[in-house]
Amino acid sequence: MSTMDIRIYGDSILRKLSKPVDSFDEQLMAVAEKMYEIMFEADGIGLAAPQVGVSKAFLVIGMPVEDEEPERLFFANPVILESRGEDSFEEGCLSVPDIRADVIRPEWIKLKYQDIHGKEHTLETDGLLARVLQHEIDHLNGILFVDRLTPARKSLLKNDLQKLAKKGAKSEADLA
Ligand code: CO
């Protein structure tokens, strides 16, 4: 397994369309385990494979649970089938450090996905889980939350994003 570090805005892997997961094997489990580790270490609640340099369509989530360890969730090849409503929520991203902004997204989604064994499921959800899932599924399609900001808001972040992009491109070169 190559080095798994969090890739930063400006790294081209974050802009790629990830490939479907087709083998649900020990390698996948090992990468997922490592991703939980990296995510909890960084205090994140969601992490998509491209963010650690793996261009495959899966993601992990650690849903906060009061007084307990976060609940570990895994989604491979997720597809949003339906969505409803609208909700604004402040988002951040481990690949876009130190930037937070309100993003408008549907508040309810229905999706299909495969679990770590490849078994298919459908899920209807709202609230924080729907929010995190949409953010992470965007990653699988090369989309970052800053792409979803209004042009005015995005232009305010332009300098910060340019600085990050330099860092991201550098980390990409170091890892290559
Ligand atoms: Co993110």
Side-chain angles (χ1 to χ4, degrees):
M1 208 182 299
S2 57
T3 327
M4 281 173 58
D5 284 314
I6 294 176
R7 302 301 186 96
I8 303 298
Y9 184 91
D11 189 318
S12 63
I13 198 159
L14 295 173
R15 293 310 193 175
K16 279 188 193 148
L17 189 63
S18 56
K19 294 196 178 66
V21 176
D22 50 14
S23 45
F24 293 83
D25 52 12
E26 280 179 19
Q27 165 81 9
L28 181 67
M29 279 191 198
V31 176
E33 273 308 308
K34 185 75 189 157
M35 283 169 61
Y36 285 119
E37 236 175 75
I38 292 170
M39 175 179 70
F40 290 132
E41 175 77 32
D43 284 328
I45 57 175
L47 190 65
Q51 290 183 273
V52 292
V54 177
S55 196
K56 289 268 185 162
F58 68 97
L59 61 98
V60 298
I61 290 175
M63 276 300 280
V65 181
E66 206 180 336
D67 298 329
E68 279 176 53
E69 293 281 295
E71 186 187 0
R72 293 175 178 222
L73 302 172
F74 173 94
F75 298 82
N77 304 324
V79 178
I80 294 173
L81 303 170
E82 282 177 58
S83 61
R84 267 183 235 144
E86 199 178 88
D87 185 29
S88 179
F89 188 83
E90 192 186 60
E91 296 188 18
C93 179
L94 296 177
S95 294
V96 192
D98 304 323
I99 290 179
R100 303 190 66 85
D102 289 333
V103 183
I104 295 168
R105 299 186 188 269
E107 65 178 356
W108 175 94
I109 56 170
K110 178 180 179 180
L111 70 153
K112 63 171 185 176
Y113 68 96
Q114 285 167 277
D115 64 25
I116 194 107
H117 307 292
K119 188 169 185 276
E120 288 195 24
H121 301 269
T122 60
L123 173 69
E124 295 177 31
T125 188
D126 60 6
L128 183 62
L129 182 56
R131 172 64 55 164
V132 178
L133 275 167
Q134 290 176 85
H135 176 115
E136 301 309 331
I137 291 170
D138 269 355
H139 275 299
L140 304 180
N141 297 313
I143 299 166
L144 300 171
F145 82 98
V146 289
D147 302 337
R148 298 201 177 272
L149 304 179
T150 60
R153 186 76 180 88
K154 199 171 179 185
S155 77
L156 285 176
L157 294 173
K158 203 175 157 209
N159 287 343
D160 292 339
L161 288 173
Q162 275 173 349
K163 269 183 223 154
L164 272 184
K166 278 186 200 149
K167 235 197 223 174
K170 188 180 176 300
S171 73
E172 177 182 6
D174 288 349
L175 287 164

